[in-house]
Amino acid sequence: MIFLALVLVIPAHATVIEFSTDKTSYKKGDQIIFSGKTDIAHANKMVSVKVTPPQGKSFLLMGGITDGNGLVEIKPVDTTQSKIISKLSVKGIYNASLIYDEDPKYQGKWTIFDYSPDGSQVSPSRSEEHTSELQSPCNLVCRLLLEK
């Protein structure tokens, strides 16, 4: 007699369901608004936005907390503040990930946005090319390499 067992593996980490910015392109003087949603089982958790600029050294930008429904509450990023200006100093395409403060290695949803300190267009613009296909890390790496 053969017995088959069904094993359900549930990840030990929280899940980010959605993560995005309010626009696709920004310049100095703009406010960057991040929004997102986690699974309901991981509501009321501390989260941060981890940003990787074109030159590649990641930094934490802002933090917040998910509300009781899992909606992410992060204060808008004011690009006129000197500590933000020093981090967003390079024109190009930035990658932003939503991470959990208690599990910073979590690989969840991410988004990309253009930033230009002087307001000139980043070419090629994310807004012109953005499709769901760009959400794959492989395509982003290939695209960033092609730009260099």
Side-chain angles (χ1 to χ4, degrees):
M1 198 181 237
I2 298 175
F3 291 98
L4 294 175
L6 177 62
V7 178
L8 180 61
V9 178
I10 299 174
H13 54 76
T15 302
V16 176
I17 298 169
E18 299 171 12
F19 182 58
S20 62
T21 55
D22 63 318
K23 300 187 315 183
T24 57
S25 297
Y26 300 91
K27 64 183 182 309
K28 183 178 173 184
D30 290 345
Q31 287 198 345
I32 303 173
I33 299 174
F34 294 98
S35 61
K37 185 174 184 174
T38 67
D39 62 339
I40 199 78
H42 297 91
N44 301 310
K45 299 284 184 183
M46 294 298 297
V47 294
S48 294
V49 176
K50 179 180 173 183
V51 176
T52 305
Q55 69 269 31
K57 185 168 171 55
S58 297
F59 57 87
L60 292 180
L61 191 56
M62 293 295 254
I65 190 166
T66 59
D67 69 11
N69 295 316
L71 294 175
V72 176
E73 298 176 1
I74 295 176
K75 183 179 172 184
V77 177
D78 182 355
T79 61
T80 62
Q81 293 181 348
S82 59
K83 70 177 188 175
I84 301 298
I85 292 170
S86 66
K87 293 179 180 182
L88 300 176
S89 61
V90 176
K91 176 178 168 179
I93 299 170
Y94 287 70
N95 178 309
S97 303
L98 188 65
I99 63 168
Y100 291 94
D101 290 3
E102 57 192 43
D103 186 10
K105 293 184 180 180
Y106 168 70
Q107 298 293 315
K109 295 285 183 182
W110 53 273
T111 189
I112 56 176
F113 62 91
D114 296 345
Y115 183 79
S116 176
D118 63 7
S120 62
Q121 182 175 0
V122 175
S123 182
S125 172
R126 173 186 176 243
S127 58
E128 294 169 5
E129 295 184 3
H130 184 64
T131 65
S132 59
E133 181 181 305
L134 290 178
Q135 286 292 317
S136 93
C138 177
N139 286 338
L140 176 66
V141 169
C142 292
R143 183 169 162 233
L144 291 174
L145 288 171
L146 287 172
E147 286 182 1
K148 291 188 177 211

